[in-house]
Amino acid sequence: MEIKSRAKINITLDVLNKREDGYHNVKMIMQTVDLYDVLHLEKIENGIEIKTNLPYLPIDEKNIAYKAAQLFFNTLDINDAGIKINIQKNIPVAAGLAGGSTNAAAVLIAMNKMFKTSLNTDQLMQMGKKLGADVPYCILGGTALAEGIGDILTLLPPMPTAIVVLAKPPISVSTAHIYGKLKVENITMRPDTEAIINAIYNQDIIAIARGMYNVLEAVTAKEYRVINRIKNIMLGSGALGSIMSGSGPTVFGIFEHEVSARKAVNKLRTIASDIFVVNTYNSNYGER
């Protein structure tokens, strides 16, 4: 079976407080975009085998796709089969785009179909939660409000189709490091998440783009000035809005016109190592 494993962006990202278990309670709007890895899965007699086109990615239990397959077999008590997973990575690694989480989600979805285990989306999401906070959303896909640690999800109407330019500078950022640097009590600006939800219901792409905000951006941008440089290029090229995705370092801009998007791409080539022009993607996995 072959399955596409799509990236996500954060239209908003608010951190409410730190929990006793060390995680943070968040409130954020997530959106799938049409940038994806391609996973090919094949049944084998036993074991789990991972192959990837990136030589520095682990191919053992350190890979979240491996963990997802292992969790699937253990949860459903499948002992007489194995799986081979070939991952063609296109989503940049450690970029704030849920590249690993979306691979894990795709593995669970594909294996559920391949082994005819008939788990519904909610059951898959509960399984995915054990692998990481973003995995349940990556199983759901589309446009969604995420709360709790990111695992309490409310599906929203599809966001209007828009051109999205993604630009990752040649650095990698640790999510744990950025959250460790964040001081929730010092946050003075927050996204108006309810206003963005209303704009989504009204299909108002201008209000959505102009209202985007990510509280982690100030932390990451303080360490990496290139974040603001990319944002300024996006906005100066005609983006309706531009923010960092997740804990970074990828910055994205929403554009109404292809000409403006291409103008931004040309200017970004000197400071970004990975640049993509994609669209928002509104179908969730359950609809495919």
Side-chain angles (χ1 to χ4, degrees):
M1 175 176 286
E2 192 170 275
I3 185 169
K4 292 176 179 177
S5 173
R6 287 184 169 80
K8 65 83 187 168
I9 53 175
N10 296 87
I11 302 300
T12 65
L13 197 163
D14 198 4
V15 182
L16 307 180
N17 52 57
K18 189 171 183 179
R19 298 153 48 117
E20 290 184 4
D21 61 7
Y23 285 95
H24 290 78
N25 284 314
V26 297
K27 187 173 185 179
M28 53 193 181
I29 298 172
M30 316 267 270
Q31 175 63 47
T32 316
V33 294
D34 206 19
L35 169 65
Y36 52 83
D37 299 335
V38 179
L39 277 68
H40 182 84
L41 295 90
E42 179 184 345
K43 288 183 180 180
I44 57 177
E45 286 188 8
N46 57 69
I48 300 168
E49 297 179 16
I50 304 283
K51 289 186 177 180
T52 174
N53 59 317
L54 298 181
Y56 52 82
L57 283 185
I59 55 173
D60 55 12
E61 57 273 1
K62 293 178 183 176
N63 189 306
I64 193 171
Y66 187 108
K67 292 178 182 176
Q70 193 171 51
L71 177 65
F72 184 88
F73 282 141
N74 291 342
T75 302
L76 295 163
D77 200 25
I78 298 172
N79 302 309
D80 57 349
I83 197 81
K84 181 190 292 184
I85 305 168
N86 192 327
I87 307 171
Q88 179 72 32
K89 290 294 292 181
N90 299 305
I91 303 169
V93 176
L97 300 172
S101 296
T102 192
N103 289 168
V107 168
L108 294 179
I109 292 162
M111 290 182 69
N112 186 43
K113 293 178 181 177
M114 293 174 72
F115 289 91
K116 298 180 170 58
T117 41
S118 302
L119 300 178
N120 61 34
T121 302
D122 286 339
Q123 290 171 314
L124 286 172
M125 286 164 60
Q126 284 301 313
M127 194 184 299
K129 181 180 175 180
K130 297 175 182 177
L131 297 165
D134 281 345
V135 178
Y137 167 73
C138 292
I139 290 169
L140 182 66
T143 310
L145 173 68
E147 298 176 278
I149 62 169
D151 61 318
I152 302 171
L153 299 167
T154 304
L155 198 60
L156 298 172
M159 185 173 152
T161 300
I163 301 167
V164 181
V165 175
L166 302 163
K168 178 187 177 292
I171 55 176
S172 294
V173 172
S174 161
T175 300
H177 173 73
I178 297 303
Y179 271 99
K181 289 273 190 178
L182 177 71
K183 298 198 182 303
V184 178
E185 64 274 12
N186 292 342
I187 297 174
T188 55
M189 286 188 62
R190 297 181 181 274
D192 189 341
T193 306
E194 298 307 319
I196 298 288
I197 291 173
N198 288 334
I200 290 170
Y201 273 93
N202 293 328
Q203 296 291 284
D204 187 344
I205 191 63
I206 294 175
I208 294 168
R210 290 179 178 168
M212 298 187 305
Y213 194 76
N214 177 351
V215 301
L216 295 180
E217 189 178 297
V219 181
T220 308
K222 188 175 181 179
E223 295 196 14
Y224 303 102
R225 293 182 181 179
V226 68
I227 301 294
N228 284 326
R229 288 176 63 197
I230 293 174
K231 280 186 66 176
N232 290 336
I233 289 173
M234 295 267 198
L235 294 169
S237 300
L240 298 173
S242 176
I243 65 169
M244 185 183 79
S245 183
S247 57
T250 300
V251 174
F252 70 92
I254 291 182
F255 293 80
E256 275 189 299
H257 306 293
E258 184 84 18
V259 172
S260 299
R262 293 297 172 188
K263 180 181 176 183
V265 169
N266 290 335
K267 291 183 176 180
L268 288 165
R269 293 191 194 282
T270 58
I271 59 172
S273 55
D274 296 279
I275 307 172
F276 306 91
V277 180
V278 297
N279 290 316
T280 50
Y281 186 86
N282 290 321
S283 295
N284 57 52
Y285 281 121
E287 295 171 345
R288 290 179 214 170

